[in-house]
Amino acid sequence: MDSQTVSRHTAEPDAPTAGTLKPNALGVLGILFFVLSAQAPLTGIAGAAPIAVALGNGPGVPAAYLVAGLVILLFSVGFVAMGRHVVDAGAFYTYIGKGLGRTTGTGSAGLALFAYCTIQAAMYGLYGAIVSGLVASHTGLDLPWWLWTLATMAVVQALGAAGVEMGAKVLAVFVLAEFSILSVFALVTLFKGGGPEGLGLADSFSPSAALDGAPGVAVMFAVASMFGFEATAIYGEEAREPRKTVPRATYLAVAVVTGFFALVSWMLISSYGASKATAAAGKALEGGDGAGFVFAPIAADFGGWVGDVLPVLLATSLFAGILTFHNSANRYLFSLGRDRLLPLRMCRLNRRHAPWTAGCVQTVLAVLLVVPFALAGKDPVLTLFSWFSGVAVLAMMLLYLLTSVSVVVFFRRARLDTRPWNTLIAPALGALGIAGAIWLILANFTTLIGGERTTALWLTLSVPVVMGLGLVAARVRGRGVAAADG
């Protein structure tokens, strides 16, 4: 096998329902919109930035985004190198399996599904609460949050079944809307010279500012905000010229997301003044409206109408993220079915070459994760959103770490790419950075989920438990397939 070889997993010949996802369906921009929607930029800014500023390193938060972006960029170098030789909708589990063995790879697939399904369920909780509030305030119709969530699940299922191109078009509209208003605010603030204390470049990006307060908390929230960029590889099978499209989309996504979060958070702090931003963020959180820290300066620049538009954009931001993680999870299920690690029915495609059975199963999983919170009468924001988003970030960081190690092992063994920077140095540095991020998340997990220590402990333990169950299931399934083949 030479350096240009691309490995594609194909269906077993005795699997009439198996197939391949629609090829040549997405270009760089199409994949980029899936990635950006997974980041849910307005949600990331409105949800994470106020907490990072108040509890982290205050005006030094923009520097935390740059640090997180650097770690993700180092990870991406090896991730892209592996992607040139392995193209599969299973992405992480396939990559990990190539370097660390099939059993470890398959076990990590369970962890990936756990991460994608829990982050989607978390978004459903926040989405339902926001939509319920919006409808009640504008129409007087006061319906419980879970009704809007269940109705949206049906819409997401329909869009997922309509094909990847339709999903990309819907996401493009939503992502451009939220990106536009935040970007315009940031650029207007930048070009007018900042807020009452000026731009405050040194206040946000100097080493002393970056290390002030609790920088670990800020970096933790910055890393959490970049969740989902790895979707570039998941859509490799459906990309045009995946060996070129996926690397370009990956690097572009990391650059855009890092630059966007750093710039917008910097301009938010500047709009208040570096000396007052921390107090303003703390006051917004104490009042139960952290998003107000973000919305207030935007409304001050553009007018009161923004106060009506931004909550709607926050809801569409969450919807875009939900649709993206639905597509990511059902492609994992599809790939596992095609590899006979799940029933072959899982890789059944509809007429649009979209995963049908896998999509239905993913929707059922979402229902099973959300309904217990509704039946128990739990607050969807303080429990469902906070708990599941935290545990999803922890699970995904572990997958990043395993992937980085797998890249090093794979290229030391296969020698398909002998570039030291791409296959050894950058992945190793990325692994160290990700290990540091995992340590920060564990050390501050109670803050991340906004819950009690006991809850944090149970959620933390769920990650190794899921990984362990995946490893056991992989061994059992592997023996069963071997016996059937024999």
mmCIF file of all heavy atoms in Angstrom, residues 21 79 88-96 105-106 108-117 230-231 233-234 325-339 341-342 346-347 355 358 362 396 399 403:
data_model
loop_
_atom_site.group_PDB
_atom_site.id
_atom_site.type_symbol
_atom_site.label_atom_id
_atom_site.label_comp_id
_atom_site.label_asym_id
_atom_site.label_seq_id
_atom_site.Cartn_x
_atom_site.Cartn_y
_atom_site.Cartn_z
ATOM 1 N N LEU A 21 -22.586 5.291 1.780
ATOM 2 C CA LEU A 21 -23.225 6.592 1.831
ATOM 3 C C LEU A 21 -23.011 7.323 0.515
ATOM 4 O O LEU A 21 -22.097 7.013 -0.242
ATOM 5 C CB LEU A 21 -22.646 7.394 2.991
ATOM 6 C CG LEU A 21 -22.903 6.792 4.376
ATOM 7 C CD1 LEU A 21 -22.065 7.499 5.425
ATOM 8 C CD2 LEU A 21 -24.374 6.857 4.737
ATOM 9 N N PHE A 79 -4.638 13.872 12.981
ATOM 10 C CA PHE A 79 -5.989 13.478 12.589
ATOM 11 C C PHE A 79 -6.132 13.524 11.071
ATOM 12 O O PHE A 79 -6.662 12.601 10.441
ATOM 13 C CB PHE A 79 -6.966 14.441 13.257
ATOM 14 C CG PHE A 79 -8.419 14.109 13.102
ATOM 15 C CD1 PHE A 79 -8.958 12.974 13.663
ATOM 16 C CD2 PHE A 79 -9.275 14.965 12.408
ATOM 17 C CE1 PHE A 79 -10.306 12.687 13.550
ATOM 18 C CE2 PHE A 79 -10.617 14.696 12.283
ATOM 19 C CZ PHE A 79 -11.142 13.547 12.856
ATOM 20 N N ASP A 88 -13.876 6.686 6.499
ATOM 21 C CA ASP A 88 -14.976 5.863 6.980
ATOM 22 C C ASP A 88 -15.879 6.719 7.859
ATOM 23 O O ASP A 88 -15.387 7.598 8.590
ATOM 24 C CB ASP A 88 -14.446 4.673 7.789
ATOM 25 C CG ASP A 88 -15.540 3.694 8.165
ATOM 26 O OD1 ASP A 88 -15.828 2.807 7.350
ATOM 27 O OD2 ASP A 88 -16.106 3.835 9.259
ATOM 28 N N ALA A 89 -17.180 6.468 7.799
ATOM 29 C CA ALA A 89 -18.129 7.248 8.598
ATOM 30 C C ALA A 89 -17.948 7.012 10.088
ATOM 31 O O ALA A 89 -18.452 7.784 10.900
ATOM 32 C CB ALA A 89 -19.568 6.894 8.182
ATOM 33 N N GLY A 90 -17.218 5.956 10.461
ATOM 34 C CA GLY A 90 -16.957 5.691 11.871
ATOM 35 C C GLY A 90 -15.889 6.571 12.471
ATOM 36 O O GLY A 90 -15.766 6.677 13.689
ATOM 37 N N ALA A 91 -15.089 7.227 11.620
ATOM 38 C CA ALA A 91 -14.063 8.189 12.039
ATOM 39 C C ALA A 91 -13.271 7.719 13.251
ATOM 40 O O ALA A 91 -12.373 6.899 13.119
ATOM 41 C CB ALA A 91 -14.679 9.559 12.274
ATOM 42 N N PHE A 92 -13.590 8.226 14.439
ATOM 43 C CA PHE A 92 -12.785 7.949 15.622
ATOM 44 C C PHE A 92 -12.569 6.459 15.853
ATOM 45 O O PHE A 92 -11.449 6.005 16.080
ATOM 46 C CB PHE A 92 -13.450 8.541 16.871
ATOM 47 C CG PHE A 92 -13.120 9.976 17.089
ATOM 48 C CD1 PHE A 92 -14.066 10.841 17.601
ATOM 49 C CD2 PHE A 92 -11.872 10.482 16.804
ATOM 50 C CE1 PHE A 92 -13.777 12.177 17.814
ATOM 51 C CE2 PHE A 92 -11.559 11.817 17.010
ATOM 52 C CZ PHE A 92 -12.525 12.666 17.514
ATOM 53 N N TYR A 93 -13.656 5.688 15.837
ATOM 54 C CA TYR A 93 -13.477 4.282 16.187
ATOM 55 C C TYR A 93 -12.644 3.557 15.134
ATOM 56 O O TYR A 93 -11.855 2.662 15.455
ATOM 57 C CB TYR A 93 -14.840 3.609 16.430
ATOM 58 C CG TYR A 93 -15.391 2.747 15.330
ATOM 59 C CD1 TYR A 93 -14.944 1.446 15.156
ATOM 60 C CD2 TYR A 93 -16.406 3.215 14.487
ATOM 61 C CE1 TYR A 93 -15.481 0.630 14.175
ATOM 62 C CE2 TYR A 93 -16.938 2.414 13.512
ATOM 63 C CZ TYR A 93 -16.483 1.119 13.351
ATOM 64 O OH TYR A 93 -17.003 0.323 12.373
ATOM 65 N N THR A 94 -12.772 3.973 13.873
ATOM 66 C CA THR A 94 -11.953 3.368 12.833
ATOM 67 C C THR A 94 -10.498 3.780 13.000
ATOM 68 O O THR A 94 -9.584 2.952 12.885
ATOM 69 C CB THR A 94 -12.455 3.807 11.445
ATOM 70 O OG1 THR A 94 -13.865 3.561 11.358
ATOM 71 C CG2 THR A 94 -11.752 3.025 10.353
ATOM 72 N N TYR A 95 -10.255 5.043 13.274
ATOM 73 C CA TYR A 95 -8.891 5.540 13.469
ATOM 74 C C TYR A 95 -8.227 4.844 14.655
ATOM 75 O O TYR A 95 -7.081 4.395 14.575
ATOM 76 C CB TYR A 95 -8.901 7.047 13.727
ATOM 77 C CG TYR A 95 -9.210 7.906 12.524
ATOM 78 C CD1 TYR A 95 -9.746 7.372 11.349
ATOM 79 C CD2 TYR A 95 -8.984 9.272 12.553
ATOM 80 C CE1 TYR A 95 -10.036 8.163 10.263
ATOM 81 C CE2 TYR A 95 -9.264 10.093 11.465
ATOM 82 C CZ TYR A 95 -9.806 9.523 10.322
ATOM 83 O OH TYR A 95 -10.089 10.327 9.245
ATOM 84 N N ILE A 96 -8.942 4.782 15.765
ATOM 85 C CA ILE A 96 -8.386 4.158 16.967
ATOM 86 C C ILE A 96 -8.132 2.675 16.735
ATOM 87 O O ILE A 96 -7.118 2.125 17.166
ATOM 88 C CB ILE A 96 -9.327 4.384 18.166
ATOM 89 C CG1 ILE A 96 -9.369 5.882 18.521
ATOM 90 C CG2 ILE A 96 -8.891 3.568 19.383
ATOM 91 C CD1 ILE A 96 -10.439 6.262 19.521
ATOM 92 N N GLY A 105 -10.762 -0.037 19.279
ATOM 93 C CA GLY A 105 -11.500 0.827 18.368
ATOM 94 C C GLY A 105 -12.993 0.667 18.519
ATOM 95 O O GLY A 105 -13.739 1.659 18.588
ATOM 96 N N THR A 106 -13.440 -0.585 18.594
ATOM 97 C CA THR A 106 -14.876 -0.824 18.721
ATOM 98 C C THR A 106 -15.387 -0.351 20.075
ATOM 99 O O THR A 106 -16.493 0.196 20.179
ATOM 100 C CB THR A 106 -15.166 -2.324 18.546
ATOM 101 O OG1 THR A 106 -14.622 -2.762 17.292
ATOM 102 C CG2 THR A 106 -16.661 -2.587 18.553
ATOM 103 N N SER A 108 -14.239 2.152 21.684
ATOM 104 C CA SER A 108 -14.319 3.611 21.602
ATOM 105 C C SER A 108 -15.537 4.066 20.810
ATOM 106 O O SER A 108 -16.007 5.198 20.982
ATOM 107 C CB SER A 108 -13.043 4.180 20.969
ATOM 108 O OG SER A 108 -12.956 3.845 19.597
ATOM 109 N N ALA A 109 -16.065 3.196 19.945
ATOM 110 C CA ALA A 109 -17.276 3.551 19.203
ATOM 111 C C ALA A 109 -18.445 3.756 20.161
ATOM 112 O O ALA A 109 -19.261 4.664 19.984
ATOM 113 C CB ALA A 109 -17.612 2.463 18.184
ATOM 114 N N GLY A 110 -18.518 2.899 21.184
ATOM 115 C CA GLY A 110 -19.561 3.079 22.193
ATOM 116 C C GLY A 110 -19.407 4.399 22.921
ATOM 117 O O GLY A 110 -20.394 5.085 23.212
ATOM 118 N N LEU A 111 -18.164 4.783 23.179
ATOM 119 C CA LEU A 111 -17.911 6.051 23.852
ATOM 120 C C LEU A 111 -18.271 7.228 22.952
ATOM 121 O O LEU A 111 -18.814 8.238 23.418
ATOM 122 C CB LEU A 111 -16.441 6.127 24.258
ATOM 123 C CG LEU A 111 -16.048 7.253 25.213
ATOM 124 C CD1 LEU A 111 -16.815 7.118 26.528
ATOM 125 C CD2 LEU A 111 -14.548 7.241 25.479
ATOM 126 N N ALA A 112 -17.973 7.107 21.649
ATOM 127 C CA ALA A 112 -18.320 8.165 20.704
ATOM 128 C C ALA A 112 -19.839 8.331 20.619
ATOM 129 O O ALA A 112 -20.356 9.459 20.628
ATOM 130 C CB ALA A 112 -17.737 7.861 19.331
ATOM 131 N N LEU A 113 -20.555 7.218 20.530
ATOM 132 C CA LEU A 113 -22.015 7.294 20.500
ATOM 133 C C LEU A 113 -22.551 7.920 21.780
ATOM 134 O O LEU A 113 -23.483 8.736 21.750
ATOM 135 C CB LEU A 113 -22.601 5.886 20.323
ATOM 136 C CG LEU A 113 -22.601 5.327 18.908
ATOM 137 C CD1 LEU A 113 -22.998 3.861 18.923
ATOM 138 C CD2 LEU A 113 -23.545 6.126 18.019
ATOM 139 N N PHE A 114 -21.960 7.553 22.900
ATOM 140 C CA PHE A 114 -22.353 8.119 24.190
ATOM 141 C C PHE A 114 -22.159 9.634 24.184
ATOM 142 O O PHE A 114 -23.033 10.390 24.619
ATOM 143 C CB PHE A 114 -21.506 7.460 25.286
ATOM 144 C CG PHE A 114 -21.774 7.969 26.673
ATOM 145 C CD1 PHE A 114 -22.988 7.716 27.300
ATOM 146 C CD2 PHE A 114 -20.807 8.687 27.363
ATOM 147 C CE1 PHE A 114 -23.229 8.179 28.597
ATOM 148 C CE2 PHE A 114 -21.032 9.152 28.646
ATOM 149 C CZ PHE A 114 -22.251 8.891 29.268
ATOM 150 N N ALA A 115 -21.010 10.085 23.662
ATOM 151 C CA ALA A 115 -20.723 11.523 23.620
ATOM 152 C C ALA A 115 -21.705 12.257 22.724
ATOM 153 O O ALA A 115 -22.265 13.298 23.110
ATOM 154 C CB ALA A 115 -19.296 11.753 23.132
ATOM 155 N N TYR A 116 -21.926 11.745 21.512
ATOM 156 C CA TYR A 116 -22.804 12.427 20.568
ATOM 157 C C TYR A 116 -24.258 12.415 21.039
ATOM 158 O O TYR A 116 -24.984 13.406 20.876
ATOM 159 C CB TYR A 116 -22.692 11.800 19.182
ATOM 160 C CG TYR A 116 -21.415 12.144 18.475
ATOM 161 C CD1 TYR A 116 -20.622 11.162 17.895
ATOM 162 C CD2 TYR A 116 -20.988 13.464 18.365
ATOM 163 C CE1 TYR A 116 -19.434 11.474 17.244
ATOM 164 C CE2 TYR A 116 -19.811 13.790 17.718
ATOM 165 C CZ TYR A 116 -19.033 12.790 17.153
ATOM 166 O OH TYR A 116 -17.871 13.115 16.526
ATOM 167 N N CYS A 117 -24.695 11.304 21.605
ATOM 168 C CA CYS A 117 -26.094 11.229 22.042
ATOM 169 C C CYS A 117 -26.342 12.087 23.279
ATOM 170 O O CYS A 117 -27.406 12.706 23.402
ATOM 171 C CB CYS A 117 -26.474 9.772 22.321
ATOM 172 S SG CYS A 117 -26.625 8.763 20.828
ATOM 173 N N GLU A 230 -14.432 17.436 14.839
ATOM 174 C CA GLU A 230 -13.985 16.171 14.243
ATOM 175 C C GLU A 230 -14.990 15.614 13.239
ATOM 176 O O GLU A 230 -14.710 14.623 12.557
ATOM 177 C CB GLU A 230 -13.732 15.147 15.347
ATOM 178 C CG GLU A 230 -14.964 14.603 16.027
ATOM 179 C CD GLU A 230 -15.672 15.600 16.929
ATOM 180 O OE1 GLU A 230 -14.997 16.556 17.400
ATOM 181 O OE2 GLU A 230 -16.883 15.444 17.153
ATOM 182 N N ALA A 231 -16.152 16.261 13.115
ATOM 183 C CA ALA A 231 -17.165 15.799 12.156
ATOM 184 C C ALA A 231 -16.653 15.837 10.723
ATOM 185 O O ALA A 231 -17.237 15.203 9.834
ATOM 186 C CB ALA A 231 -18.431 16.645 12.279
ATOM 187 N N ALA A 233 -14.177 14.346 9.473
ATOM 188 C CA ALA A 233 -13.821 12.983 9.051
ATOM 189 C C ALA A 233 -15.051 12.097 8.909
ATOM 190 O O ALA A 233 -15.074 11.183 8.077
ATOM 191 C CB ALA A 233 -12.845 12.369 10.045
ATOM 192 N N ILE A 234 -16.079 12.360 9.722
ATOM 193 C CA ILE A 234 -17.293 11.538 9.655
ATOM 194 C C ILE A 234 -17.931 11.622 8.275
ATOM 195 O O ILE A 234 -18.496 10.647 7.769
ATOM 196 C CB ILE A 234 -18.286 11.988 10.742
ATOM 197 C CG1 ILE A 234 -17.713 11.671 12.126
ATOM 198 C CG2 ILE A 234 -19.646 11.325 10.559
ATOM 199 C CD1 ILE A 234 -18.574 12.176 13.272
ATOM 200 N N PHE A 325 -25.425 16.597 15.343
ATOM 201 C CA PHE A 325 -25.083 15.434 16.166
ATOM 202 C C PHE A 325 -25.980 14.246 15.859
ATOM 203 O O PHE A 325 -25.563 13.092 16.037
ATOM 204 C CB PHE A 325 -25.124 15.810 17.642
ATOM 205 C CG PHE A 325 -23.986 16.706 18.049
ATOM 206 C CD1 PHE A 325 -24.221 17.971 18.566
ATOM 207 C CD2 PHE A 325 -22.675 16.300 17.868
ATOM 208 C CE1 PHE A 325 -23.164 18.798 18.911
ATOM 209 C CE2 PHE A 325 -21.613 17.117 18.217
ATOM 210 C CZ PHE A 325 -21.854 18.363 18.739
ATOM 211 N N HIS A 326 -27.195 14.492 15.399
ATOM 212 C CA HIS A 326 -28.032 13.396 14.906
ATOM 213 C C HIS A 326 -27.349 12.716 13.726
ATOM 214 O O HIS A 326 -27.251 11.482 13.677
ATOM 215 C CB HIS A 326 -29.405 13.934 14.483
ATOM 216 C CG HIS A 326 -30.259 12.927 13.768
ATOM 217 N ND1 HIS A 326 -31.024 11.991 14.421
ATOM 218 C CD2 HIS A 326 -30.444 12.699 12.433
ATOM 219 C CE1 HIS A 326 -31.654 11.228 13.534
ATOM 220 N NE2 HIS A 326 -31.327 11.642 12.318
ATOM 221 N N ASN A 327 -26.867 13.512 12.787
ATOM 222 C CA ASN A 327 -26.190 12.947 11.615
ATOM 223 C C ASN A 327 -24.896 12.236 11.997
ATOM 224 O O ASN A 327 -24.555 11.193 11.423
ATOM 225 C CB ASN A 327 -25.889 14.054 10.605
ATOM 226 C CG ASN A 327 -27.114 14.482 9.834
ATOM 227 O OD1 ASN A 327 -27.988 13.685 9.546
ATOM 228 N ND2 ASN A 327 -27.204 15.758 9.517
ATOM 229 N N SER A 328 -24.161 12.783 12.948
ATOM 230 C CA SER A 328 -22.915 12.145 13.376
ATOM 231 C C SER A 328 -23.186 10.797 14.030
ATOM 232 O O SER A 328 -22.525 9.797 13.722
ATOM 233 C CB SER A 328 -22.165 13.056 14.357
ATOM 234 O OG SER A 328 -21.768 14.256 13.734
ATOM 235 N N ALA A 329 -24.152 10.757 14.936
ATOM 236 C CA ALA A 329 -24.449 9.524 15.652
ATOM 237 C C ALA A 329 -24.996 8.451 14.725
ATOM 238 O O ALA A 329 -24.615 7.275 14.821
ATOM 239 C CB ALA A 329 -25.433 9.801 16.783
ATOM 240 N N ASN A 330 -25.881 8.834 13.787
ATOM 241 C CA ASN A 330 -26.445 7.781 12.939
ATOM 242 C C ASN A 330 -25.406 7.235 11.956
ATOM 243 O O ASN A 330 -25.498 6.092 11.526
ATOM 244 C CB ASN A 330 -27.735 8.227 12.243
ATOM 245 C CG ASN A 330 -27.557 9.288 11.188
ATOM 246 O OD1 ASN A 330 -26.517 9.409 10.553
ATOM 247 N ND2 ASN A 330 -28.611 10.083 10.980
ATOM 248 N N ARG A 331 -24.399 8.026 11.634
ATOM 249 C CA ARG A 331 -23.325 7.505 10.783
ATOM 250 C C ARG A 331 -22.408 6.555 11.541
ATOM 251 O O ARG A 331 -21.856 5.624 10.970
ATOM 252 C CB ARG A 331 -22.549 8.664 10.143
ATOM 253 C CG ARG A 331 -23.282 9.184 8.912
ATOM 254 C CD ARG A 331 -22.966 10.601 8.547
ATOM 255 N NE ARG A 331 -23.684 10.980 7.325
ATOM 256 C CZ ARG A 331 -24.988 11.268 7.263
ATOM 257 N NH1 ARG A 331 -25.718 11.225 8.368
ATOM 258 N NH2 ARG A 331 -25.561 11.580 6.128
ATOM 259 N N TYR A 332 -22.256 6.776 12.830
ATOM 260 C CA TYR A 332 -21.535 5.807 13.645
ATOM 261 C C TYR A 332 -22.292 4.488 13.687
ATOM 262 O O TYR A 332 -21.719 3.410 13.524
ATOM 263 C CB TYR A 332 -21.341 6.348 15.063
ATOM 264 C CG TYR A 332 -19.985 6.958 15.285
ATOM 265 C CD1 TYR A 332 -19.760 8.305 15.048
ATOM 266 C CD2 TYR A 332 -18.917 6.191 15.728
ATOM 267 C CE1 TYR A 332 -18.517 8.878 15.240
ATOM 268 C CE2 TYR A 332 -17.666 6.739 15.921
ATOM 269 C CZ TYR A 332 -17.471 8.087 15.679
ATOM 270 O OH TYR A 332 -16.235 8.630 15.856
ATOM 271 N N LEU A 333 -23.597 4.559 13.936
ATOM 272 C CA LEU A 333 -24.417 3.348 13.971
ATOM 273 C C LEU A 333 -24.380 2.634 12.627
ATOM 274 O O LEU A 333 -24.278 1.400 12.562
ATOM 275 C CB LEU A 333 -25.853 3.708 14.343
ATOM 276 C CG LEU A 333 -26.071 4.181 15.786
ATOM 277 C CD1 LEU A 333 -27.452 4.808 15.936
ATOM 278 C CD2 LEU A 333 -25.904 3.023 16.762
ATOM 279 N N PHE A 334 -24.479 3.407 11.550
ATOM 280 C CA PHE A 334 -24.403 2.838 10.196
ATOM 281 C C PHE A 334 -23.079 2.104 9.991
ATOM 282 O O PHE A 334 -23.037 0.972 9.493
ATOM 283 C CB PHE A 334 -24.549 3.971 9.177
ATOM 284 C CG PHE A 334 -24.209 3.582 7.754
ATOM 285 C CD1 PHE A 334 -25.175 3.010 6.942
ATOM 286 C CD2 PHE A 334 -22.937 3.785 7.250
ATOM 287 C CE1 PHE A 334 -24.861 2.648 5.630
ATOM 288 C CE2 PHE A 334 -22.621 3.429 5.947
ATOM 289 C CZ PHE A 334 -23.587 2.856 5.135
ATOM 290 N N SER A 335 -21.979 2.741 10.371
ATOM 291 C CA SER A 335 -20.658 2.140 10.171
ATOM 292 C C SER A 335 -20.485 0.874 11.003
ATOM 293 O O SER A 335 -19.908 -0.117 10.545
ATOM 294 C CB SER A 335 -19.573 3.165 10.519
ATOM 295 O OG SER A 335 -18.294 2.688 10.185
ATOM 296 N N LEU A 336 -20.993 0.893 12.223
ATOM 297 C CA LEU A 336 -20.903 -0.295 13.072
ATOM 298 C C LEU A 336 -21.726 -1.444 12.495
ATOM 299 O O LEU A 336 -21.327 -2.613 12.585
ATOM 300 C CB LEU A 336 -21.376 0.042 14.486
ATOM 301 C CG LEU A 336 -20.422 0.906 15.319
ATOM 302 C CD1 LEU A 336 -21.133 1.421 16.565
ATOM 303 C CD2 LEU A 336 -19.183 0.115 15.703
ATOM 304 N N GLY A 337 -22.876 -1.126 11.913
ATOM 305 C CA GLY A 337 -23.657 -2.165 11.266
ATOM 306 C C GLY A 337 -22.952 -2.734 10.051
ATOM 307 O O GLY A 337 -22.953 -3.941 9.817
ATOM 308 N N ARG A 338 -22.326 -1.850 9.264
ATOM 309 C CA ARG A 338 -21.615 -2.299 8.074
ATOM 310 C C ARG A 338 -20.424 -3.184 8.432
ATOM 311 O O ARG A 338 -20.074 -4.099 7.691
ATOM 312 C CB ARG A 338 -21.161 -1.079 7.277
ATOM 313 C CG ARG A 338 -20.626 -1.392 5.901
ATOM 314 C CD ARG A 338 -20.443 -0.139 5.080
ATOM 315 N NE ARG A 338 -19.569 0.823 5.725
ATOM 316 C CZ ARG A 338 -19.331 2.050 5.242
ATOM 317 N NH1 ARG A 338 -19.933 2.433 4.137
ATOM 318 N NH2 ARG A 338 -18.536 2.872 5.876
ATOM 319 N N ASP A 339 -19.819 -2.925 9.574
ATOM 320 C CA ASP A 339 -18.697 -3.741 10.040
ATOM 321 C C ASP A 339 -19.157 -4.962 10.830
ATOM 322 O O ASP A 339 -18.332 -5.663 11.414
ATOM 323 C CB ASP A 339 -17.761 -2.898 10.904
ATOM 324 C CG ASP A 339 -16.959 -1.902 10.090
ATOM 325 O OD1 ASP A 339 -16.909 -2.042 8.859
ATOM 326 O OD2 ASP A 339 -16.380 -0.970 10.696
ATOM 327 N N LEU A 341 -20.627 -5.160 13.604
ATOM 328 C CA LEU A 341 -20.513 -5.029 15.055
ATOM 329 C C LEU A 341 -21.864 -4.715 15.673
ATOM 330 O O LEU A 341 -22.050 -4.814 16.879
ATOM 331 C CB LEU A 341 -19.500 -3.940 15.400
ATOM 332 C CG LEU A 341 -18.075 -4.280 14.949
ATOM 333 C CD1 LEU A 341 -17.182 -3.057 15.013
ATOM 334 C CD2 LEU A 341 -17.500 -5.404 15.801
ATOM 335 N N LEU A 342 -22.812 -4.306 14.845
ATOM 336 C CA LEU A 342 -24.219 -4.181 15.196
ATOM 337 C C LEU A 342 -25.005 -4.925 14.113
ATOM 338 O O LEU A 342 -24.447 -5.260 13.057
ATOM 339 C CB LEU A 342 -24.638 -2.707 15.253
ATOM 340 C CG LEU A 342 -24.137 -1.887 16.444
ATOM 341 C CD1 LEU A 342 -24.577 -0.428 16.310
ATOM 342 C CD2 LEU A 342 -24.620 -2.456 17.778
ATOM 343 N N MET A 346 -28.767 -2.108 10.625
ATOM 344 C CA MET A 346 -28.372 -0.757 10.992
ATOM 345 C C MET A 346 -27.823 0.023 9.799
ATOM 346 O O MET A 346 -27.813 1.252 9.802
ATOM 347 C CB MET A 346 -27.316 -0.808 12.101
ATOM 348 C CG MET A 346 -27.217 0.445 12.925
ATOM 349 S SD MET A 346 -28.716 0.789 13.857
ATOM 350 C CE MET A 346 -28.684 -0.563 15.032
ATOM 351 N N CYS A 347 -27.336 -0.660 8.779
ATOM 352 C CA CYS A 347 -26.766 0.054 7.642
ATOM 353 C C CYS A 347 -27.735 0.120 6.458
ATOM 354 O O CYS A 347 -27.319 0.297 5.308
ATOM 355 C CB CYS A 347 -25.430 -0.561 7.220
ATOM 356 S SG CYS A 347 -25.458 -2.321 6.929
ATOM 357 N N PRO A 355 -28.710 7.154 6.053
ATOM 358 C CA PRO A 355 -28.947 6.046 6.988
ATOM 359 C C PRO A 355 -30.368 6.108 7.534
ATOM 360 O O PRO A 355 -30.734 7.085 8.192
ATOM 361 C CB PRO A 355 -27.908 6.295 8.092
ATOM 362 C CG PRO A 355 -26.861 7.173 7.476
ATOM 363 C CD PRO A 355 -27.607 8.032 6.491
ATOM 364 N N ALA A 358 -30.459 3.439 11.172
ATOM 365 C CA ALA A 358 -29.581 4.081 12.156
ATOM 366 C C ALA A 358 -30.164 5.407 12.634
ATOM 367 O O ALA A 358 -30.076 5.745 13.815
ATOM 368 C CB ALA A 358 -28.195 4.306 11.551
ATOM 369 N N GLN A 362 -31.180 6.284 16.438
ATOM 370 C CA GLN A 362 -30.604 7.451 17.103
ATOM 371 C C GLN A 362 -31.700 8.320 17.719
ATOM 372 O O GLN A 362 -31.553 8.819 18.834
ATOM 373 C CB GLN A 362 -29.771 8.265 16.113
ATOM 374 C CG GLN A 362 -28.745 9.190 16.762
ATOM 375 C CD GLN A 362 -29.378 10.403 17.401
ATOM 376 O OE1 GLN A 362 -30.262 11.024 16.814
ATOM 377 N NE2 GLN A 362 -28.944 10.756 18.594
ATOM 378 N N MET A 396 -15.558 13.002 24.900
ATOM 379 C CA MET A 396 -14.938 13.370 23.630
ATOM 380 C C MET A 396 -13.444 13.639 23.801
ATOM 381 O O MET A 396 -12.631 13.286 22.941
ATOM 382 C CB MET A 396 -15.644 14.584 23.041
ATOM 383 C CG MET A 396 -15.217 14.923 21.618
ATOM 384 S SD MET A 396 -15.424 13.542 20.451
ATOM 385 C CE MET A 396 -17.207 13.389 20.418
ATOM 386 N N LEU A 399 -11.644 10.459 23.694
ATOM 387 C CA LEU A 399 -11.536 9.983 22.313
ATOM 388 C C LEU A 399 -10.428 10.712 21.561
ATOM 389 O O LEU A 399 -9.675 10.098 20.791
ATOM 390 C CB LEU A 399 -12.870 10.175 21.589
ATOM 391 C CG LEU A 399 -13.989 9.219 21.972
ATOM 392 C CD1 LEU A 399 -15.310 9.679 21.379
ATOM 393 C CD2 LEU A 399 -13.672 7.802 21.508
ATOM 394 N N THR A 403 -7.195 8.846 19.981
ATOM 395 C CA THR A 403 -6.916 9.025 18.559
ATOM 396 C C THR A 403 -5.494 9.518 18.332
ATOM 397 O O THR A 403 -4.789 9.041 17.428
ATOM 398 C CB THR A 403 -7.916 10.005 17.928
ATOM 399 O OG1 THR A 403 -9.240 9.529 18.124
ATOM 400 C CG2 THR A 403 -7.667 10.181 16.435
#
